[in-house]
Amino acid sequence: DSRATSLVDKIATDRKVIVGTKWDQPGLGLKAGSGEPQGFDVDVAKYVIRELSGGQSVDVEWKESISSNREAFLASGGVDFIVASYSITEARKQKVTFAGPYIIAHQDTMVRADSTGITKATDLEGKRICQVAGSNAYKRVTDPPPDGQLDLDVQLVGAANWSECVAKLSGNNLDAVTSDDLLLAGFAAQGAGRFRVLGDPFTDEKWGMGLRKGDVKTCEAVNPAIRKMYSDGTVRQLFEKWFGTFSGLSAPTTPPPAEGCS
């Protein structure tokens, strides 16, 4: 059972890995047709796999991992690791060993381009916002610190994933979509002027790489790979590739402090 060993050992012996990413997030992880997903998270995963394998060829299988199934996929061995706009939280650390973070995102708000009633995050009071199963984004709005942020009374509208949220926003079934700025940037760019991101960030979201709980050996191998990804300029290159045309975002230059492997 390959799950009995660390992922870094599995890669060395089997030369195979199953990676969970989003498939519906432009700029991060978007799958079109029969090809593999494309985006920042996908490219980051490829870089880390190359580092873990010592540059040797590895057979990568991509598996869609939506917000609601990430922990279950890791626990069952359905995926080996997850790179999917996955914020590190204390609650998730109880079920997942996180390497990284590999980037810090910031929760922001996206509205329709013709919307005038929401200009800052606190204007979400009483408004209809999206609640994606398995995501903590809505809690940052509805709950007080430490797990939340704004402690606002809003109307929650359920959705299975973020692309459904954007469809609901386009159809006037929502007033706003609030989530991490890199995620919103991709959807706004894809929307060709139909949406507007407020540019009023109100959280720091530490995106980590999710590993099976207890796989400390792989975590300790991934963290140096993340640091190298910054030092050799790869993060800046990938950031410009996927988000360079979106105003208001700038490429990070230094790696975020590692959370520690546990």
Side-chain angles (χ1 to χ4, degrees):
D1 182 356
S2 60
R3 287 194 294 124
T5 64
S6 70
L7 174 58
V8 69
D9 290 334
K10 176 183 176 181
I11 289 175
T13 56
D14 298 350
R15 300 294 182 199
K16 295 181 180 179
V17 62
I18 305 172
V19 183
T21 65
K22 298 292 181 66
W23 286 11
D24 70 327
Q25 293 182 353
L28 293 171
L30 184 66
K31 190 175 186 297
S34 59
E36 66 182 28
Q38 305 285 325
F40 179 82
D41 279 349
V42 176
D43 286 347
V44 165
K46 289 178 179 178
Y47 182 99
V48 169
I49 291 167
R50 283 195 300 271
E51 291 299 308
L52 295 182
S53 70
Q56 298 298 308
S57 177
V58 177
D59 180 16
V60 180
E61 178 185 345
W62 303 96
K63 192 165 186 177
E64 183 177 20
S65 299
I66 62 175
S67 297
S68 60
N69 66 21
R70 290 177 294 199
E71 287 87 3
F73 272 7
L74 287 169
S76 68
V79 298
D80 293 313
F81 81 121
I82 289 178
V83 187
S85 56
Y86 203 1
S87 292
I88 301 171
T89 67
E90 290 304 315
R92 287 172 176 165
K93 282 183 178 180
Q94 308 309 307
K95 300 178 181 180
V96 177
T97 289
F98 282 102
Y102 60 95
I103 199 165
I104 305 294
H106 309 279
Q107 187 160 336
D108 210 322
T109 305
M110 186 171 74
V111 297
R112 289 180 297 279
D114 60 358
S115 174
T116 58
I118 302 174
T119 61
K120 57 187 183 299
T122 51
D123 291 337
L124 294 173
E125 178 79 30
K127 300 297 193 296
R128 300 169 297 169
I129 70 169
C130 209
Q131 179 184 10
V132 172
S135 170
N136 287 325
Y138 77 94
K139 293 182 180 179
R140 307 296 199 207
V141 176
T142 61
D143 293 2
D147 295 328
Q149 187 68 31
L150 300 181
D151 195 19
L152 300 179
D153 184 16
V154 301
Q155 301 176 51
L156 297 175
V157 179
N161 51 44
W162 291 108
S163 56
E164 183 179 341
C165 288
V166 175
K168 288 178 180 289
L169 179 64
S170 180
N172 202 28
N173 296 306
L174 286 173
D175 298 308
V177 173
T178 176
S179 187
D180 298 347
D181 52 2
L182 300 183
L183 182 153
L184 297 178
F187 280 115
Q190 187 186 57
R194 290 182 294 130
F195 307 114
R196 174 170 51 86
V197 178
L198 298 185
D200 182 33
F202 55 92
T203 70
D204 292 332
E205 301 295 336
K206 303 172 184 179
W207 285 8
M209 299 184 183
L211 297 160
R212 179 173 52 87
K213 181 63 178 175
D215 191 356
V216 173
K217 182 176 182 179
T218 302
C219 177
E220 291 177 342
V222 170
N223 284 340
I226 292 172
R227 291 194 294 271
K228 181 180 177 182
M229 189 169 60
Y230 277 83
S231 65
D232 67 13
T234 298
V235 168
R236 174 177 289 276
Q237 176 187 352
L238 295 180
F239 199 94
E240 292 298 325
K241 174 183 176 181
W242 294 107
F243 306 110
T245 61
F246 191 85
S247 62
L249 296 177
S250 57
T253 56
T254 58
E259 285 286 290
C261 301
S262 61

